[in-house]
């Protein structure tokens, strides 16, 4: 940008794109609309600095921006049109909120002259997004653009990170103003107090059966390294909260598994029996606590330490002996600096690790394609820097249980449980890290919620390997159905397209795999393909999860009804 820019009159659109450049934006995801033509035109001017990635549906765009935010720690940027564009994008905003991911959604808005008349596609975004974003505002005057964009960036990354929504009335985008750019934003975080860190050390020194759960948002690579050093120096057993498994290298001897849906019963027992529970980063939501039953509310029976980025989260559900509001990098650095305590629990940590390793051994399943073997193969085959993404559905259980995530941002999964996340987040991951292998997992139901983004993968040569686990149904819901209404199947069966042929129609490599033995050679072909590739894995519907089968669930439910 020329130094004289601040002295020139610029349109709201130009001011906005210039502000994005000031804040270091290099990529934006969106679907165009006539409501933000002026901004698009400013992107045209700046296309050397910012790549505008065209997506095929705003749900895909918002999910890609969310994945960008997770991967980089900088706000993911998403542009959508008013009304239908904004409503489509909402899924990614909700995920960013639940996953504490920095993201800024920009929405073209009706002219201020006609607002409040329910003009064409008009929505009041403050009301619509009120519960899903850290801040929702409308920029009514071009003079305010630098200030409000600066505020949006500060908010998105500070405290508990999350999404911000800004509406851009059309007349503001074309109006001109002479106003200087603002400086670049900085992240603001709370630091742990020295007294609190000493108290933590004393609590550790007095403990006999400590247990650490790591999770939540606001992490970076250095923070993960520091946390690992702290945990190793104290031989602490560490588990990860739901879909936060990549915060701690799963190959380390004191990683003991994840605390999530379908968790290892051995971990559950260890948490219940612990005398000191230290939660570093997670909110301890429903999925991490077995529907709020794992830890007593409001007063855990163990000594309880909760460290979280957002002060509003502390004491919300769980009272604690030590509640600390701190950024994760700030806390982890302070924890690493603590003098290690004597760790009489070394053997117990080793035993917990052995339980985890046993839990990771492939299981037998009905049918000719065993997902536990497929994931075990990938665990050995994939380079450590690979990124694995997934959406929601039982298919993800296999990945979470049998893979070993090797460190920060090797996993992208929505803790919001949103279907349709795996495909767009996989595309975003490949755009952000073209040199890292990206494997995107989806169920057959899950895939078709954002499968259109295969076109984006093709358009930008994003060589993702998509793996669609096809069981011909919304399996998760069918499983719950069998458990609560055995034999009364409704609304869950799917007649699917030929996914491999669909991939080929997008210009990608596509294959169907229906046995475990066929997976390895098919994977190698996908790996070596010149384009992105899709492998459709046809699994036996009865193979509903690593722990049980659909028929066993139904039989049990029927037996329960009789008794
Ligand atoms: C956007 C969205 N809609 C609905 C749901 C509810 N839901 C959770 S899992 C699931 C079924 C997933 O089916 P599929 O992707 O085929 O995976 P499977 O469970 O069969 O492995 C549904 C409908 C959801 N989580 N997200
Ligand atoms: Mg399915």
């Amino acid at each position: 940008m020329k130094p004289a820019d601040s002295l020139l009159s610029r349109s709201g659109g130009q001011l906005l794109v210039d502000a994005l450049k000031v804040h270091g934006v290099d990529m934006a995801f969106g679907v165009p609309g006539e409501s933000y033509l002026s901004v698009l035109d400013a992107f045209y001017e700046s296309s050397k600095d910012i790549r505008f990635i065209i997506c095929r549906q705003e749900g895909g765009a918002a999910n890609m921006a969310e994945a960008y935010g997770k991967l980089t720690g900088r706000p993911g940027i998403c542009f959508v049109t008013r009304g239908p564009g904004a409503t489509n994008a909402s899924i990614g905003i909700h995920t960013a909120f639940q996953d504490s991911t920095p993201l800024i959604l920009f929405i073209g808005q009706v002219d201020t002259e006609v607002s409040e008349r329910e003009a064409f596609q008009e929505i009041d975004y403050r009301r619509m997004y009120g519960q899903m974003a850290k801040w929702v505002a409308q920029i009514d005057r071009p003079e305010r653009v630098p200030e409000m964009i600066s505020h949006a960036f500060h908010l998105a990354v500070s405290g508990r990170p999350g999404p911000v929504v800004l509406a851009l009335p059309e007349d503001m985008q074309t109006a001109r103003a002479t106003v200087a750019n603002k400086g670049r934003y900085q992240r603001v975080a709370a630091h742990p107090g020295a007294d609190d860190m000493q108290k933590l050390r004393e609590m550790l020194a007095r403990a006999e059966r400590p247990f650490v759960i790591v999770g939540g948002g606001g992490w970076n690579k250095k923070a993960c390294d520091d946390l690992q050093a702290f945990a190793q120096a104290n031989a602490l057993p560490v588990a990860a909260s739901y879909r936060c498994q990549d915060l701690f290298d799963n190959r380390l001897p004191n990683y003991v598994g994840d605390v999530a849906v379908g968790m290892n019963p051995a971990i559950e027992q260890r948490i219940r029996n612990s005398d000191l529970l230290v939660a570093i980063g997670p909110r301890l939501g429903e999925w991490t606590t077995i529907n709020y039953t794992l830890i007593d509310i409001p007063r855990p029976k163990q000594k309880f330490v909760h460290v979280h980025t957002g002060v509003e989260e502390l004491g919300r559900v769980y009272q604690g002996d030590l509640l600390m509001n701190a950024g994760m990098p700030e806390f982890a650095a302070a924890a690493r600096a603590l003098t290690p305590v004597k760790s009489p629990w070394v053997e117990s940590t080793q035993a917990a690790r052995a339980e985890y390793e046993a839990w990771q051994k492939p299981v037998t399943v009905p049918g000719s394609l065993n997902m536990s073997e497929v994931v075990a193969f990938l665990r050995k085959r994939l380079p450590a820097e690979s990124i694995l993404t997934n959406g929601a559905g039982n298919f993800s259980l296999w990945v979470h249980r049998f893979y070993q995530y090797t460190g920060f941002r090797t996993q992208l999964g929505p803790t919001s449980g949103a279907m349709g996340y795996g495909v767009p987040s996989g595309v975003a991951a490949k755009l952000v890290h073209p040199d890292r292998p990206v494997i995107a997992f989806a169920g057959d139901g899950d895939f078709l919620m954002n499968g259109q983004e295969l076109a984006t993968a093709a358009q930008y040569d994003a060589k993702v390997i998509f793996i669609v686990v096809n069981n011909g149904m919304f399996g998760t819901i069918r499983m719950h159905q069998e458990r609560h209404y055995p034999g009364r199947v409704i609304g869950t069966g799917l007649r699917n397209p030929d996914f491999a042929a669909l991939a080929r129609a997008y210009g990608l490599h596509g294959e169907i795999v229906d046995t475990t033995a066929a997976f390895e050679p098919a994977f190698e072909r996908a790996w070596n393909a010149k384009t992105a590739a899709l492998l459709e894995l046809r699994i036996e519907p009865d193979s509903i999860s690593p722990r049980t089968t659909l028929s066993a669930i139904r039989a049990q439910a029927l037996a329960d009804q009789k008794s």
Side-chain angles (χ1 to χ4, degrees):
M1 198 173 316
K2 296 183 292 291
D5 275 358
S6 60
L7 307 173
L8 300 174
S9 134
R10 288 175 284 176
S11 70
Q14 285 167 332
L15 282 162
L16 176 66
V17 174
D18 285 349
L20 297 182
K21 284 195 278 187
V22 166
H23 294 300
V25 172
D26 58 2
M27 204 180 278
F29 302 89
V31 177
E34 69 274 33
S35 62
Y36 71 95
L37 285 176
S38 164
V39 176
L40 274 175
D41 191 62
F43 272 117
Y44 178 81
E45 288 287 312
S46 298
S47 51
K48 272 208 261 11
D49 302 301
I50 305 179
R51 254 181 120 182
F52 189 90
I53 304 294
I54 312 162
C55 307
R56 300 309 175 103
Q57 212 263 26
E58 292 83 354
N63 276 320
M64 286 191 211
E66 200 278 345
Y68 178 101
K70 273 201 179 107
L71 285 162
T72 64
R74 303 192 303 270
I77 303 295
C78 184
F79 277 85
V80 300
T81 199
R82 58 201 176 190
T87 50
N88 269 347
S90 63
I91 191 161
I93 308 314
H94 177 248
T95 293
F97 191 78
Q98 288 230 296
D99 287 24
S100 307
T101 307
L103 183 155
I104 305 176
L105 174 70
F106 292 96
I107 308 171
Q109 173 64 304
V110 301
D111 249 66
T112 49
E113 271 185 29
V114 299
S115 65
E116 297 296 337
R117 291 180 181 163
E118 197 192 325
F120 183 59
Q121 301 178 333
E122 182 181 1
I123 294 178
D124 176 349
Y125 300 105
R126 291 187 183 89
R127 279 189 288 155
M128 176 187 160
Y129 274 117
Q131 206 191 338
M132 262 188 266
K134 290 183 75 175
W135 182 47
V136 190
Q138 181 162 307
I139 311 182
D140 285 328
R141 298 170 59 84
E143 295 85 342
R144 303 284 306 276
V145 168
E147 171 206 333
M148 290 176 84
I149 299 294
S150 165
H151 184 41
F153 274 84
H154 280 93
L155 258 185
V157 299
S158 296
R160 179 182 170 194
V164 168
V165 177
L166 288 175
L168 311 169
E170 265 186 87
D171 48 342
M172 182 284 291
Q173 297 173 43
T174 49
R176 300 185 77 83
T178 304
V179 54
N181 292 327
K182 290 262 178 190
R184 193 157 178 165
Y185 74 99
Q186 51 184 296
R187 171 180 161 272
V188 185
H191 285 59
D195 292 0
D196 282 350
M197 291 309 294
Q198 266 323 307
K199 185 165 177 195
L200 170 64
R201 189 178 178 280
E202 279 158 28
M203 289 172 78
L204 272 177
R206 263 184 262 123
E208 288 171 12
R209 297 176 308 282
F211 196 93
V212 175
I213 305 177
V214 55
W219 291 88
N220 60 25
K221 169 89 174 62
K222 163 90 168 43
C224 291
D225 289 348
D226 285 346
L227 180 84
Q228 282 166 195
F230 161 70
Q232 286 191 283
N234 292 284
L236 292 166
V238 176
S241 69
Y242 181 55
R243 290 186 173 155
C244 293
Q245 290 154 276
D246 63 341
L247 296 180
F248 202 93
D249 186 342
N250 298 182
R251 299 165 301 180
L252 291 175
N254 50 333
Y255 179 76
V256 301
D258 63 328
V259 186
V261 188
M263 76 175 79
N264 184 347
I267 285 216
E268 185 186 331
Q269 264 323 308
R270 284 188 180 271
I271 293 174
R272 290 191 193 281
N273 293 339
S274 65
D275 64 348
L276 171 64
L277 187 59
V278 183
I280 307 175
R283 290 196 311 115
L284 296 175
E286 195 173 349
W287 261 206
T288 300
T289 59
I290 321 179
N291 303 337
Y292 297 109
T293 61
L294 183 59
I295 304 164
D296 291 352
I297 296 173
R299 185 81 203 177
K301 69 176 180 356
Q302 312 83 338
K303 292 267 184 236
F304 180 58
V305 179
H306 197 178
V307 189
H308 200 270
T309 50
V311 72
E312 65 285 350
E313 201 55 38
L314 295 163
R316 178 179 183 165
V317 184
Y318 302 102
Q319 297 176 358
D321 301 276
L322 178 57
L323 302 179
M324 296 169 82
N325 177 214
M328 290 303 115
E330 289 74 15
F331 172 81
R336 182 177 197 156
L338 287 178
T339 311
V341 297
K342 273 205 221 93
S343 330
W345 47 79
V346 170
E347 277 174 23
S348 161
T349 301
Q350 285 163 353
R353 174 70 189 184
E355 287 159 7
Y356 164 69
E357 284 173 5
W359 181 245
Q360 277 220 317
K361 295 242 154 54
V363 292
T364 34
V365 301
S368 58
L369 199 162
N370 184 332
M371 277 303 294
S372 65
E373 303 274 9
V374 164
V375 178
F377 162 75
L378 289 174
R379 190 171 81 208
K380 293 196 202 88
R381 169 66 180 81
L382 289 175
E385 71 275 16
S386 304
I387 301 171
L388 278 71
T389 76
N390 62 268
N394 268 36
F395 70 90
S396 66
L397 294 174
W398 306 96
V399 190
H400 297 340
R401 174 159 161 190
F402 298 103
Y403 194 69
Q404 287 190 337
Y405 297 93
T406 59
F408 184 64
R409 292 315 177 229
T410 52
Q411 175 179 37
L412 291 176
T415 69
S416 65
M419 291 170 73
Y421 183 80
V423 171
S425 62
V427 176
K430 197 69 192 174
L431 292 172
V432 174
H433 293 298
D435 299 332
R436 290 171 63 178
V438 177
I439 316 294
F441 284 88
D444 47 334
D446 178 83
F447 178 80
L448 282 177
M449 289 215 178
N450 269 319
Q452 78 285 342
E453 301 305 335
L454 287 192
T456 311
Q459 180 153 350
Y460 295 99
D461 293 322
K463 271 194 64 191
V464 179
I465 298 180
F466 300 97
I467 296 184
V468 179
V469 185
N470 183 1
N471 57 4
M473 58 183 173
F474 288 129
T476 310
I477 312 307
R478 170 78 185 276
M479 175 182 76
H480 291 299
Q481 231 162 29
E482 294 289 3
R483 204 165 267 156
H484 299 283
Y485 305 95
R488 295 169 64 82
V489 179
I490 173 112
T492 49
L494 297 174
R495 184 189 291 186
N496 284 313
D498 176 334
F499 290 104
L502 184 63
R504 290 195 291 272
Y506 280 105
L508 310 184
H509 175 85
E511 286 191 45
I512 293 168
V513 178
D514 48 20
T515 64
T516 309
F519 181 76
E520 184 174 338
F523 181 79
E524 297 305 337
R525 285 189 292 275
W527 183 269
N528 292 318
K530 292 205 168 51
T531 59
L534 183 149
L535 299 177
E536 175 189 341
L537 274 47
R538 295 205 173 147
I539 68 164
E540 161 64 43
D542 201 32
S543 177
I544 194 66
S545 86
R547 293 173 80 165
T548 186
T549 58
L550 261 189
S551 41
I553 292 170
R554 180 189 290 198
Q556 182 64 50
L558 288 170
D560 289 349
Q561 277 181 356
K562 280 203 194 103
S563 64

